[in-house]
Amino acid sequence: MPNPSTQPKQVISDKYRSRYDDDLSIVTASLDRGLSGTSDVVSEYEAALGRYFSSSNAIAISSGGAAISVALEAAGVKPGDEVVLTPTCPLCTVYPIMAAGAKPVFVDTRVDGFGADPADLDRVLSPKTRAIIDIPMWGYPTQVDELQKIARKVGVPLILDLAHSHGSTLHGRPLSAYGDLSCFSTHERKPLATGEGGFILTDNNDLAKRCRDYSRFGNLNGRDFGLNFKLGALAAALGTSRLQHLDRQLEARRKNAERFLSKLSHPSVRESTLIPGGKTNYYFLTLRTSFANNRRFIDYLDENGVPSDIKRYGCKCLYEFPAVAQYRRNCPNGERLLNTMTTIPVHPALTEKDMDYMAGLINAYREG
Ligand SMILES: *Cc1c(COP(=O)(O)O)cnc(C)c1O
Protein backbone atom coordinates (compact mmCIF):
# COMPACT_ATOMS: atom_id res chain seq x y z
CA MET A 1 0.00 0.00 0.00
CA PRO A 2 1.37 3.41 -0.87
CA ASN A 3 1.27 5.61 2.17
CA PRO A 4 -1.84 7.79 2.23
CA SER A 5 -1.36 11.48 1.68
CA THR A 6 -1.02 13.59 4.80
CA GLN A 7 -3.06 16.36 3.16
CA PRO A 8 -6.85 16.58 3.33
CA LYS A 9 -8.21 15.08 0.12
CA GLN A 10 -9.16 17.39 -2.73
CA VAL A 11 -10.80 16.48 -6.00
CA ILE A 12 -9.15 18.05 -9.04
CA SER A 13 -11.20 18.24 -12.23
CA ASP A 14 -9.45 17.61 -15.53
CA LYS A 15 -12.35 19.22 -17.38
CA TYR A 16 -12.07 22.88 -18.20
CA ARG A 17 -15.20 24.58 -19.39
CA SER A 18 -14.16 27.96 -20.76
CA ARG A 19 -16.88 30.60 -20.72
CA TYR A 20 -16.21 34.12 -21.92
CA ASP A 21 -18.37 37.23 -21.80
CA ASP A 22 -18.05 37.60 -25.59
CA ASP A 23 -19.41 34.09 -26.27
CA LEU A 24 -23.07 34.99 -26.03
CA SER A 25 -22.95 38.28 -27.94
CA ILE A 26 -20.95 36.80 -30.85
CA VAL A 27 -23.20 33.72 -31.09
CA THR A 28 -26.36 35.85 -30.80
CA ALA A 29 -25.17 38.22 -33.52
CA SER A 30 -24.57 35.26 -35.84
CA LEU A 31 -28.22 34.18 -35.46
CA ASP A 32 -29.20 37.01 -37.79
CA ARG A 33 -26.74 35.78 -40.42
CA GLY A 34 -26.43 32.51 -42.35
CA LEU A 35 -26.09 29.50 -40.07
CA SER A 36 -24.74 26.95 -42.54
CA GLY A 37 -21.13 26.07 -43.22
CA THR A 38 -21.00 28.48 -46.17
CA SER A 39 -22.00 31.46 -44.00
CA ASP A 40 -19.76 34.55 -43.78
CA VAL A 41 -19.59 33.77 -40.06
CA VAL A 42 -17.51 30.71 -40.98
CA SER A 43 -15.26 32.55 -43.45
CA GLU A 44 -14.59 35.20 -40.80
CA TYR A 45 -13.63 32.47 -38.33
CA GLU A 46 -11.32 30.93 -40.93
CA ALA A 47 -9.69 34.30 -41.54
CA ALA A 48 -9.15 34.75 -37.79
CA LEU A 49 -7.60 31.26 -37.55
CA GLY A 50 -5.30 32.04 -40.47
CA ARG A 51 -4.14 35.25 -38.76
CA TYR A 52 -3.66 33.67 -35.35
CA PHE A 53 -1.62 30.75 -36.67
CA SER A 54 0.13 32.73 -39.48
CA SER A 55 -1.21 30.29 -42.07
CA SER A 56 -2.26 31.29 -45.59
CA ASN A 57 -5.27 28.96 -45.54
CA ALA A 58 -7.64 27.80 -42.81
CA ILE A 59 -10.53 25.45 -43.59
CA ALA A 60 -13.16 24.98 -40.87
CA ILE A 61 -14.22 21.33 -40.55
CA SER A 62 -16.94 19.61 -38.52
CA SER A 63 -14.53 17.74 -36.21
CA GLY A 64 -10.88 16.93 -35.65
CA GLY A 65 -11.43 13.38 -36.88
CA ALA A 66 -13.11 14.68 -40.04
CA ALA A 67 -10.17 17.07 -40.51
CA ILE A 68 -7.85 14.04 -40.66
CA SER A 69 -10.13 12.30 -43.19
CA VAL A 70 -10.18 15.43 -45.35
CA ALA A 71 -6.39 15.89 -45.07
CA LEU A 72 -5.80 12.27 -46.13
CA GLU A 73 -8.06 12.74 -49.14
CA ALA A 74 -6.29 16.00 -50.06
CA ALA A 75 -2.93 14.23 -49.72
CA GLY A 76 -4.14 11.73 -52.33
CA VAL A 77 -4.36 8.72 -49.99
CA LYS A 78 -6.18 5.90 -51.79
CA PRO A 79 -7.22 2.37 -50.76
CA GLY A 80 -4.14 0.16 -50.41
CA ASP A 81 -1.77 3.09 -49.74
CA GLU A 82 0.29 3.19 -46.57
CA VAL A 83 0.10 5.97 -44.01
CA VAL A 84 2.85 6.12 -41.41
CA LEU A 85 2.06 7.26 -37.86
CA THR A 86 3.28 6.86 -34.30
CA PRO A 87 1.17 4.38 -32.26
CA THR A 88 1.07 6.52 -29.11
CA CYS A 89 -1.88 8.69 -30.15
CA PRO A 90 -5.65 8.24 -29.63
CA LEU A 91 -7.75 5.91 -31.80
CA CYS A 92 -9.16 9.13 -33.34
CA THR A 93 -6.04 9.44 -35.52
CA VAL A 94 -5.90 5.90 -36.88
CA TYR A 95 -9.59 5.27 -37.64
CA PRO A 96 -9.69 7.87 -40.47
CA ILE A 97 -6.74 6.05 -42.10
CA MET A 98 -8.62 2.76 -41.90
CA ALA A 99 -11.82 4.44 -43.17
CA ALA A 100 -9.90 5.60 -46.26
CA GLY A 101 -9.03 1.94 -46.95
CA ALA A 102 -5.37 2.72 -46.39
CA LYS A 103 -2.99 0.72 -44.21
CA PRO A 104 -1.68 2.33 -41.00
CA VAL A 105 2.03 1.60 -40.61
CA PHE A 106 3.39 2.26 -37.15
CA VAL A 107 6.69 4.02 -36.68
CA ASP A 108 8.26 4.07 -33.23
CA THR A 109 8.65 7.28 -31.25
CA ARG A 110 11.92 8.66 -30.07
CA VAL A 111 13.28 7.42 -26.74
CA ASP A 112 12.34 10.59 -24.89
CA GLY A 113 9.36 12.07 -26.74
CA PHE A 114 6.31 11.36 -28.89
CA GLY A 115 7.77 12.44 -32.23
CA ALA A 116 8.42 9.83 -34.95
CA ASP A 117 11.98 8.47 -34.71
CA PRO A 118 13.87 9.26 -37.95
CA ALA A 119 15.87 6.00 -37.87
CA ASP A 120 12.71 3.92 -37.56
CA LEU A 121 10.98 6.09 -40.17
CA ASP A 122 13.73 5.05 -42.55
CA ARG A 123 12.76 1.41 -41.93
CA VAL A 124 9.02 1.81 -42.56
CA LEU A 125 8.91 4.21 -45.51
CA SER A 126 8.07 2.33 -48.72
CA PRO A 127 7.02 3.15 -52.27
CA LYS A 128 3.44 2.74 -51.02
CA THR A 129 3.79 5.46 -48.34
CA ARG A 130 1.37 8.25 -49.23
CA ALA A 131 1.52 10.33 -46.03
CA ILE A 132 3.32 10.64 -42.69
CA ILE A 133 1.35 11.74 -39.64
CA ASP A 134 3.07 13.04 -36.50
CA ILE A 135 1.11 13.58 -33.30
CA PRO A 136 2.57 15.78 -30.55
CA MET A 137 0.83 14.58 -27.40
CA TRP A 138 -0.60 16.83 -24.68
CA GLY A 139 0.86 19.90 -26.38
CA TYR A 140 4.59 19.05 -26.12
CA PRO A 141 6.28 19.86 -29.44
CA THR A 142 7.96 17.10 -31.44
CA GLN A 143 10.86 17.54 -33.90
CA VAL A 144 8.50 18.56 -36.70
CA ASP A 145 11.28 20.60 -38.35
CA GLU A 146 13.34 17.44 -38.94
CA LEU A 147 10.27 15.49 -40.05
CA GLN A 148 9.44 18.24 -42.54
CA LYS A 149 12.90 17.82 -44.11
CA ILE A 150 12.56 14.03 -44.30
CA ALA A 151 9.04 14.24 -45.76
CA ARG A 152 10.22 16.70 -48.42
CA LYS A 153 13.20 14.52 -49.29
CA VAL A 154 11.03 11.46 -49.86
CA GLY A 155 8.26 13.50 -51.51
CA VAL A 156 5.48 12.53 -49.10
CA PRO A 157 3.16 15.05 -47.41
CA LEU A 158 3.60 15.58 -43.66
CA ILE A 159 0.28 15.74 -41.83
CA LEU A 160 0.36 17.02 -38.26
CA ASP A 161 -2.40 16.04 -35.84
CA LEU A 162 -2.33 19.11 -33.59
CA ALA A 163 -5.56 18.31 -31.74
CA HIS A 164 -3.71 18.95 -28.45
CA SER A 165 -1.35 21.64 -29.60
CA HIS A 166 -3.10 24.96 -30.28
CA GLY A 167 -0.43 27.54 -29.42
CA SER A 168 2.51 25.15 -29.05
CA THR A 169 5.57 26.43 -30.93
CA LEU A 170 8.97 25.34 -32.21
CA HIS A 171 11.68 27.96 -32.78
CA GLY A 172 9.06 30.65 -32.29
CA ARG A 173 6.72 29.36 -35.00
CA PRO A 174 3.43 27.51 -34.56
CA LEU A 175 3.87 23.75 -35.07
CA SER A 176 1.46 24.00 -38.00
CA ALA A 177 4.11 25.94 -39.95
CA TYR A 178 6.06 22.70 -40.34
CA GLY A 179 3.26 20.54 -41.74
CA ASP A 180 1.89 20.33 -45.29
CA LEU A 181 -1.52 19.86 -43.68
CA SER A 182 -2.14 20.53 -39.99
CA CYS A 183 -5.31 19.15 -38.43
CA PHE A 184 -6.88 20.55 -35.27
CA SER A 185 -9.84 19.56 -33.12
CA THR A 186 -11.97 22.06 -31.23
CA HIS A 187 -13.83 19.37 -29.29
CA GLU A 188 -14.92 20.69 -25.93
CA ARG A 189 -11.92 19.19 -24.11
CA LYS A 190 -9.36 20.85 -26.37
CA PRO A 191 -7.65 24.21 -25.64
CA LEU A 192 -9.78 25.95 -28.29
CA ALA A 193 -13.27 24.58 -27.69
CA THR A 194 -16.45 24.87 -29.76
CA GLY A 195 -18.25 21.72 -28.54
CA GLU A 196 -17.53 19.71 -31.68
CA GLY A 197 -15.40 21.10 -34.47
CA GLY A 198 -12.05 21.19 -36.17
CA PHE A 199 -9.98 22.94 -38.82
CA ILE A 200 -7.11 22.40 -41.23
CA LEU A 201 -4.24 24.82 -41.83
CA THR A 202 -1.99 24.78 -44.87
CA ASP A 203 0.26 27.19 -46.73
CA ASN A 204 -0.22 25.16 -49.92
CA ASN A 205 -3.05 26.68 -51.96
CA ASP A 206 -3.64 23.52 -54.01
CA LEU A 207 -3.99 21.37 -50.91
CA ALA A 208 -6.27 24.02 -49.38
CA LYS A 209 -8.54 23.91 -52.42
CA ARG A 210 -8.67 20.12 -52.31
CA CYS A 211 -9.61 20.22 -48.61
CA ARG A 212 -12.25 22.87 -49.19
CA ASP A 213 -13.80 21.17 -52.22
CA TYR A 214 -13.84 17.68 -50.70
CA SER A 215 -15.40 18.86 -47.42
CA ARG A 216 -18.16 20.66 -49.38
CA PHE A 217 -19.50 17.76 -51.50
CA GLY A 218 -17.10 18.75 -54.29
CA ASN A 219 -19.21 21.93 -54.48
CA LEU A 220 -21.95 19.65 -55.88
CA ASN A 221 -20.68 20.19 -59.41
CA GLY A 222 -21.19 16.52 -60.23
CA ARG A 223 -17.61 16.18 -61.42
CA ASP A 224 -15.55 16.32 -58.21
CA PHE A 225 -16.47 13.79 -55.54
CA GLY A 226 -16.81 15.04 -51.99
CA LEU A 227 -18.61 14.69 -48.69
CA ASN A 228 -20.05 17.17 -46.23
CA PHE A 229 -17.61 17.98 -43.43
CA LYS A 230 -18.47 21.67 -43.07
CA LEU A 231 -18.47 23.38 -39.68
CA GLY A 232 -21.75 25.12 -38.82
CA ALA A 233 -21.83 28.87 -38.18
CA LEU A 234 -22.77 28.69 -34.49
CA ALA A 235 -19.67 26.67 -33.64
CA ALA A 236 -17.62 29.01 -35.84
CA ALA A 237 -18.99 32.03 -33.96
CA LEU A 238 -18.01 30.44 -30.65
CA GLY A 239 -14.57 29.69 -32.06
CA THR A 240 -14.14 33.32 -33.12
CA SER A 241 -14.95 34.46 -29.59
CA ARG A 242 -12.68 31.94 -27.90
CA LEU A 243 -9.74 32.43 -30.21
CA GLN A 244 -9.49 35.97 -28.83
CA HIS A 245 -8.97 34.52 -25.35
CA LEU A 246 -6.62 31.69 -26.26
CA ASP A 247 -3.37 33.49 -25.42
CA ARG A 248 -4.63 34.47 -22.00
CA GLN A 249 -5.80 30.92 -21.38
CA LEU A 250 -2.39 29.51 -22.31
CA GLU A 251 -0.67 32.05 -20.06
CA ALA A 252 -2.78 30.86 -17.11
CA ARG A 253 -1.86 27.26 -17.92
CA ARG A 254 1.84 28.14 -18.00
CA LYS A 255 1.60 29.88 -14.60
CA ASN A 256 -0.11 26.87 -13.06
CA ALA A 257 2.53 24.56 -14.54
CA GLU A 258 5.34 26.73 -13.17
CA ARG A 259 3.78 26.75 -9.71
CA PHE A 260 3.37 22.97 -9.74
CA LEU A 261 6.93 22.36 -10.92
CA SER A 262 8.36 24.76 -8.32
CA LYS A 263 6.85 22.52 -5.61
CA LEU A 264 7.59 19.14 -7.18
CA SER A 265 10.57 17.40 -5.57
CA HIS A 266 10.04 13.64 -5.90
CA PRO A 267 13.29 12.03 -7.12
CA SER A 268 11.43 9.60 -9.43
CA VAL A 269 9.24 12.21 -11.13
CA ARG A 270 10.19 14.97 -13.57
CA GLU A 271 8.52 16.95 -16.29
CA SER A 272 8.62 15.36 -19.76
CA THR A 273 11.43 16.66 -21.93
CA LEU A 274 10.79 19.87 -23.82
CA ILE A 275 12.85 19.72 -27.01
CA PRO A 276 15.27 22.61 -27.70
CA GLY A 277 13.38 25.56 -29.14
CA GLY A 278 10.04 24.03 -28.18
CA LYS A 279 7.25 25.63 -26.13
CA THR A 280 4.25 23.67 -24.90
CA ASN A 281 0.75 25.09 -24.56
CA TYR A 282 0.34 23.00 -21.39
CA TYR A 283 -2.82 21.36 -22.65
CA PHE A 284 -1.74 18.99 -19.91
CA LEU A 285 1.51 18.98 -18.02
CA THR A 286 3.09 15.57 -18.52
CA LEU A 287 5.43 13.82 -16.10
CA ARG A 288 8.01 11.11 -16.75
CA THR A 289 8.32 8.65 -13.91
CA SER A 290 10.81 5.94 -12.98
CA PHE A 291 8.73 3.71 -10.72
CA ALA A 292 8.75 -0.09 -10.88
CA ASN A 293 4.96 0.10 -11.08
CA ASN A 294 3.70 3.27 -12.76
CA ARG A 295 0.12 2.04 -12.74
CA ARG A 296 0.13 1.96 -8.94
CA PHE A 297 1.34 5.58 -8.90
CA ILE A 298 -1.47 6.62 -11.25
CA ASP A 299 -4.02 4.76 -9.08
CA TYR A 300 -2.66 6.52 -5.97
CA LEU A 301 -3.15 9.91 -7.62
CA ASP A 302 -6.61 8.89 -8.82
CA GLU A 303 -7.65 7.69 -5.35
CA ASN A 304 -6.52 11.03 -4.01
CA GLY A 305 -8.58 13.04 -6.49
CA VAL A 306 -6.05 13.64 -9.29
CA PRO A 307 -7.21 12.10 -12.60
CA SER A 308 -4.84 10.94 -15.35
CA ASP A 309 -5.50 10.90 -19.09
CA ILE A 310 -3.54 7.64 -19.18
CA LYS A 311 -6.15 6.00 -16.97
CA ARG A 312 -9.17 7.85 -18.41
CA TYR A 313 -8.44 6.72 -21.97
CA GLY A 314 -6.60 3.49 -21.18
CA CYS A 315 -3.68 4.85 -23.23
CA LYS A 316 -1.56 2.13 -24.83
CA CYS A 317 0.04 1.67 -28.21
CA LEU A 318 -2.75 1.51 -30.78
CA TYR A 319 -1.88 -1.98 -32.02
CA GLU A 320 -2.80 -3.28 -28.52
CA PHE A 321 -6.47 -2.48 -29.26
CA PRO A 322 -8.44 -5.31 -30.97
CA ALA A 323 -9.69 -2.98 -33.74
CA VAL A 324 -6.11 -2.14 -34.74
CA ALA A 325 -4.30 -5.38 -33.79
CA GLN A 326 -3.94 -6.53 -37.41
CA TYR A 327 -1.52 -3.63 -37.97
CA ARG A 328 0.73 -4.52 -35.02
CA ARG A 329 4.33 -3.47 -35.35
CA ASN A 330 6.05 -3.39 -31.98
CA CYS A 331 7.26 0.05 -30.96
CA PRO A 332 9.26 -0.38 -27.73
CA ASN A 333 10.03 3.32 -27.27
CA GLY A 334 6.37 4.27 -27.55
CA GLU A 335 5.33 1.51 -25.14
CA ARG A 336 7.94 2.64 -22.61
CA LEU A 337 6.85 6.28 -22.93
CA LEU A 338 3.20 5.49 -22.20
CA ASN A 339 4.19 3.17 -19.34
CA THR A 340 6.41 5.73 -17.60
CA MET A 341 4.27 8.85 -17.58
CA THR A 342 1.16 10.54 -16.34
CA THR A 343 -0.69 13.78 -17.01
CA ILE A 344 -1.40 16.63 -14.62
CA PRO A 345 -4.24 19.09 -15.30
CA VAL A 346 -3.12 22.73 -15.19
CA HIS A 347 -6.10 24.45 -16.84
CA PRO A 348 -7.07 28.00 -15.83
CA ALA A 349 -9.92 26.97 -13.51
CA LEU A 350 -7.34 25.42 -11.16
CA THR A 351 -5.69 27.48 -8.41
CA GLU A 352 -2.25 27.69 -6.81
CA LYS A 353 -3.70 25.68 -3.94
CA ASP A 354 -4.67 22.93 -6.39
CA MET A 355 -1.14 22.96 -7.84
CA ASP A 356 0.39 22.74 -4.35
CA TYR A 357 -1.97 19.89 -3.46
CA MET A 358 -0.96 17.84 -6.51
CA ALA A 359 2.78 18.45 -6.01
CA GLY A 360 2.49 17.63 -2.29
CA LEU A 361 0.62 14.43 -3.08
CA ILE A 362 3.34 13.30 -5.46
CA ASN A 363 6.17 14.28 -3.12
CA ALA A 364 4.56 12.13 -0.38
CA TYR A 365 4.38 9.03 -2.58
CA ARG A 366 6.51 6.04 -1.60
CA GLU A 367 6.61 2.92 -3.71
CA GLY A 368 5.09 0.17 -1.53
C1 LIG B 1 -9.50 14.81 -29.96
C2 LIG B 1 -8.53 14.26 -30.90
C3 LIG B 1 -8.87 13.94 -32.22
C4 LIG B 1 -10.28 13.94 -32.72
O1 LIG B 1 -10.88 15.17 -32.64
P1 LIG B 1 -12.50 15.24 -32.65
O2 LIG B 1 -12.77 16.70 -32.80
O3 LIG B 1 -12.96 14.70 -31.34
O4 LIG B 1 -12.98 14.43 -33.80
C5 LIG B 1 -7.87 13.54 -33.08
N1 LIG B 1 -6.61 13.42 -32.68
C6 LIG B 1 -6.23 13.69 -31.41
C7 LIG B 1 -4.78 13.58 -31.03
C8 LIG B 1 -7.18 14.10 -30.48
O5 LIG B 1 -6.81 14.33 -29.22
Side-chain angles (χ1 to χ4, degrees), residues 115-192:
D117 174 50
D120 203 41
L121 198 51
D122 228 25
R123 280 176 219 122
V124 298
L125 287 171
S126 90
K128 286 189 178 171
T129 309
R130 196 63 59 225
I132 300 168
I133 308 185
D134 201 52
I135 310 104
M137 293 296 291
W138 293 286
Y140 286 66
T142 56
Q143 287 84 346
V144 286
D145 51 345
E146 289 177 42
L147 291 178
Q148 182 183 46
K149 284 192 196 118
I150 295 171
R152 283 193 178 155
K153 210 173 89 193
V154 297
V156 165
L158 177 64
I159 299 176
L160 300 178
D161 181 349
L162 301 179
H164 295 183
S165 301
H166 319 65
S168 297
T169 59
L170 182 63
H171 307 307
R173 302 170 72 203
L175 296 187
S176 52
Y178 299 90
D180 293 297
L181 291 153
S182 295
C183 301
F184 290 81
S185 165
T186 59
H187 180 269
E188 102 160 303
R189 275 179 67 84
K190 308 297 159 80
L192 180 65

